[in-house]
Amino acid sequence: MTVDPTTLSYTAEHEWVLIEGGVATFGITDYAAEQLGDVVFVDLPAIDAPVVAGQVCGEIESTKSVGELYAPLSGRVIQVNGEVDADPSLVNADPYGAWLVRIELDGESAPLLDRAGYEALIEGAA
């Protein structure tokens, strides 16, 4: 599943979000993957675990550092990407295809950005 980055929403913590009906799929952006370096481990939330918008729900470890994964929206985890769990390097190879978590939404969300807003954010960080 590779998605068009221009159609997604983003968080200030460098996650992308695709909302389809009452389900949100999210992963980390190409910028985040580049900043992390080679991803060697992911710690994703458990199925049925509640997640809260803006709060840590997992970790991504690279050869350079450990980064936190923040829930962009509140809800309940309904699926995690087992392929990424087995081969974390997929995050570097295809950040927009290597989704991490799917949640059933409960209505609460953190502030989300469109692509232009996200690009402005990362340009300001550079």
Side-chain angles (χ1 to χ4, degrees):
M1 170 190 144
T2 299
V3 294
D4 177 357
T6 62
T7 64
L8 301 172
S9 297
Y10 297 86
T11 70
E13 289 78 25
H14 308 289
E15 282 100 16
W16 59 263
V17 184
L18 174 65
I19 301 170
E20 297 174 302
V23 174
T25 301
F26 65 97
I28 66 167
T29 65
D30 52 350
Y31 176 82
E34 183 180 310
Q35 295 301 305
L36 280 169
D38 295 333
V39 175
V40 295
F41 177 75
V42 293
D43 180 23
L44 301 176
I47 302 294
D48 287 329
V51 293
V52 177
Q55 293 191 4
V56 174
C57 67
E59 287 185 342
I60 300 175
E61 185 176 326
S62 73
T63 54
K64 291 165 62 171
S65 67
V66 175
E68 294 179 322
L69 180 65
Y70 292 86
L73 304 151
S74 293
R76 180 182 60 84
V77 175
I78 57 172
Q79 190 176 9
V80 295
N81 190 338
E83 291 179 7
V84 170
D85 199 29
D87 183 4
S89 70
L90 294 172
V91 171
N92 297 107
D94 185 9
Y96 295 103
W99 61 274
L100 300 175
V101 179
R102 286 198 172 115
I103 59 174
E104 184 178 66
L105 300 173
D106 74 4
E108 233 181 287
S109 73
L112 298 176
L113 305 166
D114 63 10
R115 184 66 187 185
Y118 182 69
E119 288 176 352
L121 175 80
I122 59 177
E123 285 173 15

